[in-house]
Amino acid sequence: MHGLDPSIVALGLGAIAVCVVSAIDFHAPFETADIRFAVMRDRYYFAVFAYVTVAVTFYFFVAILMSRGTGLVVAIPATIAFMVLTPHLPVLGWVIDFLRRMMQTLARYPQAVETVIVAIARSPIKVTERARPELQRELEGYGVPARLIEKALNDDDQVLAPGAANMIKQVASLHTSFVELRGNKRFKRFFRARKAAFDEMERQYRRMLRRSARALLLTDDITVSALDAEELAYEISDFISEECEDLRVAYQRRLAEATLSVVDRRDSRMELISSFGYQTVLPQPLPFAPLVIIFVLDFVVSVAPLFFMNLSKNYEVGSLTGGLSSGAHAVAVMISIFFAIYPKASTNFARPSLYALPWRSYIVFGALSYLLGNFVLWITYSAIPIAPGWLASGHPLAASSLVSLVFLVNTLVLSILLDVRLRADRLDYHEARLRDGATHAVVMASVMLCVLIGFTLVSRHFGLNMPYISWLVYAGIVALFGVLGFVMGYLVPSTAEAYIEANKLIRKSSALDGNRLEWAAPVSQPSTQLRS
């Protein structure tokens, strides 16, 4: 540790502590296993990483702000104490809860597992070959004669109604499938995390078998007329169905959790579900790769011009200032993309109709994108050390308000491009990607040009002069944001359209099979209207 500033070491150790605490706090008010084993693995770690990044960034900003008057040695413990108290404060506590819910939604909790449960529950099931021998062996162990078991499982209304016989066979099928799955080492962690749930399901399964055996023995002991025998069969069938229903739902939930949290690929997930006898199609997950590409590219585009500027000391940009401001800009761009896509996948308000685009949603979500992006940049400019010649040093809100126009326009244009694609209802998602990319490239380059002009005018208004920067550098900045706009226009609308349209196709195909999956796509969209 020789040669290191103790305050820097303390700042790093504090950041590590914040990482650990925030990673645990991400799961509140649930248990860690409740979320980890109910969502896809990559989404879970991505959401935790995002939440931890926000917490660590907030920690650095507050520590730097406090250190201006007291020094880092005092500011670091004060910052950590402040962050511990923040969730319990009236307004800030609500903000933390909202951010936590947003990050859990980013992980798709509980939407992901509930979606798969619905898909499984509404899908036809083929009882596995192991179910009938399992039931015969178990019921015989409770003293039920083999001939009575055979009659009960024959679906002929003699002992049990077909629905009840099918229900008990489904439960036995699910039970034996999970027994076989337990031997797969890949699912070892899942079964360990859900041990309490599986122990309870095993107790319910044994109780169901025991009560079903008593009910079947009752039919064998009582001699009644044909009419009364039919009534007795229906009564016992209702009893057995009630015993099995909760157990079947529990097995379906565990299957959905195992499918999401352990298996990585969509086709492998459907293969696992089919091994349990269910024939279903899972919705397409929204990929994260384009977002990662855009985040990295935006960061590079924001940092790259600094290497070509020969700035005086009054305008000098350090590595810390350049890195944090570029990172904040990339985060705000992600927020603007979120408001362009997510509302269309989750609300009717933001979806286009057959005859019009959702102009009111553009205003609402564009304004939200602008305000949140402005807030992120304002906090950043207020916290980091900025050379006094820049507008952001003395007037951070004015600077952030100008730059945030980029986020407003980004949300609006991406929303419109996506809506145009959704209304076209095309199946070739690669079509018109170049058109979308070129359109957004022109828009982003134009917006950046306007922002640069705005910076010059506003700086002069506050009595500041812009640094001498070559026109080639200015042209390069505009060109780089044009490239960023092209990549966003090329990737985002087509990727989001593929996600939404795939779910609409799933819903259509399911409807043709008599199995309507209402979650797969909104009924209000014209292209998904189905005949009753």
Side-chain angles (χ1 to χ4, degrees):
M1 301 299 292
H2 180 70
L4 287 178
D5 188 342
S7 61
I8 300 299
V9 175
L11 187 65
L13 292 175
I16 294 173
V18 170
C19 285
V20 174
V21 172
S22 58
I24 297 173
D25 181 69
F26 168 83
H27 306 88
F30 310 100
E31 296 292 333
T32 301
D34 291 342
I35 298 181
R36 167 62 189 90
F37 292 99
V39 298
M40 289 183 286
R41 182 160 42 191
D42 56 344
R43 297 297 175 96
Y44 170 78
Y45 289 116
F46 182 85
V48 172
F49 175 77
Y51 188 71
V52 169
T53 301
V54 172
V56 172
T57 303
F58 181 74
Y59 160 77
F60 278 124
F61 286 159
V62 175
I64 292 172
L65 281 175
M66 289 187 174
S67 67
R68 292 179 178 178
T70 60
L72 281 175
V73 176
V74 177
I76 291 169
T79 301
I80 294 176
F82 174 72
M83 294 187 70
V84 170
L85 293 174
T86 296
H88 306 285
L89 300 177
V91 177
L92 293 177
W94 179 87
V95 173
I96 296 298
D97 288 340
F98 175 77
L99 177 63
R100 189 188 299 115
R101 288 196 301 270
M102 289 292 293
M103 293 299 107
Q104 291 173 357
T105 301
L106 183 63
R108 297 285 294 161
Y109 180 81
Q111 294 89 344
V113 69
E114 296 298 335
T115 298
V116 177
I117 289 171
V118 170
I120 293 172
R122 296 188 178 186
S123 301
I125 180 173
K126 181 181 179 182
V127 175
T128 61
E129 296 178 356
R130 302 181 298 271
R132 197 179 186 99
E134 162 78 4
L135 281 174
Q136 290 174 334
R137 180 178 60 83
E138 292 289 351
L139 292 175
E140 284 179 3
Y142 287 104
V144 182
R147 59 172 181 80
L148 182 58
I149 299 173
E150 191 70 24
K151 290 171 63 179
L153 301 180
N154 278 341
D155 298 338
D156 56 8
D157 271 335
Q158 290 188 14
V159 178
L160 291 178
N166 188 46
M167 177 78 79
I168 195 172
K169 284 189 287 187
Q170 286 183 26
V171 170
S173 175
L174 292 168
H175 175 80
T176 54
S177 296
F178 270 112
V179 170
E180 183 177 349
L181 188 68
R182 191 182 289 271
N184 190 331
K185 294 182 179 179
R186 187 180 183 184
F187 294 85
K188 184 177 180 180
R189 285 189 61 197
F190 171 77
F191 281 103
R192 185 167 62 245
R194 289 287 187 258
K195 183 179 184 303
F198 277 102
D199 289 346
E200 177 60 26
M201 287 161 57
E202 184 66 22
R203 285 191 291 269
Q204 292 180 10
Y205 181 71
R206 295 297 162 192
R207 183 179 62 187
M208 180 274 294
L209 289 173
R210 185 169 59 252
R211 292 184 176 181
S212 297
R214 291 175 183 173
L216 292 176
L217 289 171
L218 181 65
T219 64
D220 201 37
D221 293 339
I222 299 178
T223 303
V224 294
S225 64
L227 183 62
D228 290 338
E230 183 178 357
E231 184 67 25
L232 179 61
Y234 285 130
E235 290 291 337
I236 292 177
S237 297
D238 289 341
F239 173 78
I240 291 179
S241 296
E242 290 176 3
E243 287 290 321
C244 293
E245 179 58 30
D246 290 342
L247 192 54
R248 183 176 66 170
V249 170
Y251 277 127
Q252 289 172 347
R253 176 170 291 275
R254 300 290 89 81
L255 175 57
E257 291 175 347
T259 299
L260 286 170
S261 62
V262 180
V263 184
D264 292 325
R265 296 177 53 191
R266 177 170 172 263
D267 55 349
S268 299
R269 295 188 188 105
M270 290 190 292
E271 184 179 345
L272 173 62
I273 294 174
S274 66
S275 69
F276 279 70
Y278 289 104
Q279 303 301 318
T280 189
V281 180
L282 296 179
Q284 291 276 4
L286 186 63
F288 277 158
L291 299 180
V292 175
I293 293 172
I294 293 169
F295 182 90
V296 173
L297 181 61
D298 183 88
F299 183 86
V300 172
V301 165
S302 300
V303 170
L306 298 177
F307 294 98
F308 301 95
M309 295 181 184
N310 186 17
L311 300 172
S312 64
K313 190 171 183 179
N314 198 41
Y315 298 98
E316 189 177 8
V317 179
S319 57
L320 177 64
T321 300
L324 290 178
S325 59
S326 299
H329 190 279
V331 169
V333 167
M334 293 297 102
I335 294 173
S336 68
I337 294 175
F338 173 84
F339 282 117
I341 297 175
Y342 187 75
K344 300 184 188 304
S346 59
T347 66
N348 286 317
F349 175 69
R351 298 179 186 123
S353 69
L354 189 61
Y355 306 104
L357 296 175
W359 296 105
R360 288 181 297 175
S361 74
Y362 299 154
I363 298 173
V364 172
F365 295 111
L368 287 174
S369 174
Y370 178 80
L371 292 174
L372 280 178
N374 197 347
F375 178 75
V376 170
L377 291 187
W378 174 70
I379 288 291
T380 304
Y381 295 157
S382 300
I384 62 178
I386 300 177
W390 291 107
L391 176 65
S393 177
H395 308 279
L397 183 59
S400 64
S401 298
L402 276 173
V403 177
S404 297
L405 292 174
V406 174
F407 314 137
L408 168 64
V409 174
N410 192 43
T411 297
L412 293 178
V413 176
L414 290 179
S415 296
I416 294 172
L417 291 175
L418 176 55
D419 285 337
V420 169
R421 297 181 73 94
L422 290 174
R423 290 180 67 189
D425 202 21
R426 60 173 62 90
L427 296 179
D428 185 4
Y429 305 123
H430 297 281
E431 183 180 345
R433 294 179 101 182
L434 290 175
R435 180 204 65 190
D436 293 345
T439 300
H440 203 30
V442 172
V443 172
M444 289 295 288
S446 302
V447 171
M448 180 47 58
L449 179 60
C450 294
V451 168
L452 291 174
I453 295 173
F455 258 100
T456 302
L457 298 176
V458 175
S459 296
R460 289 179 180 175
H461 173 76
F462 287 107
L464 300 171
N465 294 318
M466 291 289 288
Y468 174 76
I469 299 175
S470 170
W471 286 104
L472 289 176
V473 175
Y474 279 125
I477 294 173
V478 173
L480 284 174
F481 272 84
V483 171
L484 176 64
F486 178 83
V487 172
M488 288 192 289
Y490 186 85
L491 292 178
V492 173
S494 56
T495 302
E497 182 202 17
Y499 165 74
I500 295 172
E501 292 291 343
N503 289 343
K504 287 160 62 176
L505 289 175
I506 291 171
R507 183 177 181 274
K508 285 181 178 180
S509 63
S510 299
L512 292 175
D513 294 335
N515 177 27
R516 295 192 63 175
L517 300 181
E518 302 295 344
W519 47 264
V523 178
S524 61
Q525 291 191 8
S527 58
T528 62
Q529 293 296 328
L530 304 172
R531 295 181 181 178
S532 58

